[in-house]
Amino acid sequence: MTTDDSRPARRRITLTGISSRAWEHPADRGALTALRELRGFDDVVKAFFGMWNERGFRLAYLAGAIRVDHRQYPRVYQRFTEAAATLDVAELPELYVEQSPMINGQAIGMDKPFIVITTGAVEKLDDEELRALLGHEIGHVRSGHAVYKTIMIILTRWAASLSWMPVGAITLRAIIVAMYEWWRKAELSADRAGLLAGQDPAASLRLLMKLAGGGDLSQIDTAAFLEQAAEYEGGGDLRDSIHKLGMTAWSTHPVPVARASELRRWIDAGDYGRILEGDYPRRDSDGNASVTEDVKAAADSYRQTFNTSQDPLVGLLRKFGGGAADMAGSAARGARDWANRGRGGEGETPPAPPES
């Protein structure tokens, strides 16, 4: 089993009172707002809250996995408590380790979400990388992602037999596609939470490298990996762009090289450093957050990505004018209208999903 190496321990700054808004990617919040706007989505959520909770999921892991505490997987438990303390999370979610050679983790549940990581993660990650992975999953829980992820798991697993759902097949398919888009953006948010939990950019990058190529980093070069990321994002021709769309349309996660590039951009933009200096939103101000501002930030994020992307297909679209930017603006206006309907004005936020 991989244990901590000889690297000196890093002093981590406790981010007292930090709100999940500090690490949430604008496109994460925007995609979730757009998802909630879809006709029939409210019915889906109500149906699942009425018929499902995490009890069955939790029982499955209670029966077939190892529940982590100071007696079982104490090394994992120590990294877990450290990540939670750094993110100022007082109440730890339950944590399980399941048997799988793959490096993976997930947050599951609606009323009281819990976290599951694999034996592959325990064995192949050093302490800093493991702390980043656990911080990633804590970020999912704190952002309320686990609720929608649980719905997504059930929808995709049993979509063919969900005739009892109060929405049509076409509507259900549209909801699933929108949820995939949101899920990929939620992963970018959680990557930031993992970095904040570990406060070791090199470890967060190593984690993504190991997700891409296994646990032996002696065979992998960081600079070459980032070159891969740049080639993926900007290389090739229109055929490659179309292949990328096919690769990601039904995927829950962005590809590891894209996640590495996105995290690097967040660091280089100075946002990570500002948070460590204490410049971040606090939980006690969450009630004052504006849906309109979230939607505007999401639209700005999509527009900036469109304007700076090196992808050949996006470059072709830019030649034909601001069509995609206009589409982003239209989506933002629609989401803002949805947010204002029945919520007493644009300064109020929709009800937040329950957290642990």
Side-chain angles (χ1 to χ4, degrees):
M1 181 177 71
T2 301
T3 57
D4 205 4
D5 54 29
S6 59
R7 284 190 293 269
R10 290 174 175 266
R11 180 181 176 272
R12 291 176 301 281
I13 299 168
T14 299
L15 302 172
T16 305
I18 189 170
S19 166
S20 62
R21 290 181 290 124
W23 61 72
E24 286 167 357
H25 193 287
D28 170 12
R29 292 198 298 272
L32 189 54
T33 298
L35 174 65
R36 289 168 175 157
E37 185 190 13
L38 281 173
R39 185 181 303 277
F41 182 70
D42 286 346
D43 291 331
V44 171
V45 173
K46 290 175 184 176
F48 274 98
F49 271 106
M51 298 184 64
W52 297 95
N53 56 36
E54 69 270 14
R55 184 179 300 273
F57 289 101
R58 180 180 176 276
L59 283 174
Y61 288 103
L62 193 64
I66 301 297
R67 184 166 58 189
V68 176
D69 59 20
H70 65 282
R71 300 161 299 175
Q72 301 196 107
Y73 283 112
R75 168 181 169 254
V76 176
Y77 184 70
Q78 181 64 30
R79 303 293 83 78
F80 190 45
T81 58
E82 291 167 357
T86 302
L87 295 177
D88 196 21
V89 176
E91 184 179 352
L92 291 175
E94 283 192 333
L95 173 63
Y96 293 88
V97 173
E98 67 171 337
Q99 178 64 38
S100 172
M102 305 296 291
I103 299 173
N104 199 10
Q106 57 183 326
I108 308 172
M110 296 183 181
D111 296 317
K112 193 172 182 181
F114 59 93
I115 294 170
V116 181
I117 65 171
T118 60
T119 52
V122 175
E123 295 165 359
K124 295 175 182 177
L125 301 181
D126 67 26
D127 280 13
E128 286 78 17
E129 297 154 6
L130 183 59
R131 191 183 295 111
L133 174 65
L134 292 166
H136 175 107
E137 299 306 330
I138 292 171
H140 277 314
V141 172
R142 295 300 302 171
S143 290
H145 293 159
V147 175
Y148 297 100
K149 282 192 170 189
T150 303
I151 294 173
M152 182 67 177
I153 290 170
I154 298 171
L155 278 178
T156 54
R157 186 178 298 172
W158 296 320
S161 60
L162 290 179
S163 59
W164 51 268
M165 290 297 298
V167 294
I170 295 177
T171 301
L172 184 60
R173 184 178 179 85
I175 289 173
I176 291 175
V177 170
M179 290 192 82
Y180 271 119
E181 167 65 13
W182 161 73
W183 197 333
R184 290 189 294 271
K185 303 307 182 186
E187 289 302 320
L188 301 179
S189 296
D191 283 343
R192 296 176 176 184
L195 173 58
L196 291 171
Q199 298 177 15
D200 186 342
S204 289
L205 182 58
R206 292 198 308 270
L207 170 60
L208 294 170
M209 292 166 68
K210 288 185 175 181
L211 285 172
D216 184 8
L217 289 188
S218 68
Q219 304 294 318
I220 304 173
D221 180 77
T222 301
F225 182 72
L226 292 175
E227 287 172 9
Q228 274 184 243
E231 182 177 344
Y232 173 82
E233 291 189 333
D237 54 24
L238 289 176
R239 293 169 297 180
D240 295 299
S241 298
I242 293 170
H243 280 303
K244 290 177 191 176
L245 290 174
M247 287 167 54
T248 58
W250 297 98
S251 174
T252 58
H253 288 59
V255 293
V257 293
R259 292 169 65 181
S261 292
E262 185 66 35
L263 195 60
R264 187 73 257 173
R265 279 192 289 269
W266 190 60
I267 295 170
D268 292 343
D271 297 306
Y272 169 66
R274 283 191 288 272
I275 290 174
L276 296 190
E277 292 172 357
D279 182 8
Y280 55 81
R282 266 62 175 182
R283 289 193 292 267
D284 57 13
S285 67
D286 282 350
N288 299 322
S290 167
V291 174
T292 301
E293 290 301 316
D294 286 347
V295 170
K296 181 179 182 298
D300 289 344
S301 174
Y302 278 114
R303 188 175 291 107
Q304 181 180 8
T305 299
F306 176 78
N307 289 334
T308 59
S309 174
Q310 300 301 309
D311 184 86
L313 178 59
V314 176
L316 181 64
L317 291 173
R318 279 201 298 265
K319 290 181 180 178
F320 288 98
D326 291 341
M327 290 172 61
S330 177
R333 286 190 296 273
R336 183 167 58 247
D337 291 343
W338 168 88
N340 290 334
R341 287 198 302 268
R343 283 171 169 77
E346 60 182 40
E348 298 184 10
T349 57
E355 294 186 359
S356 61

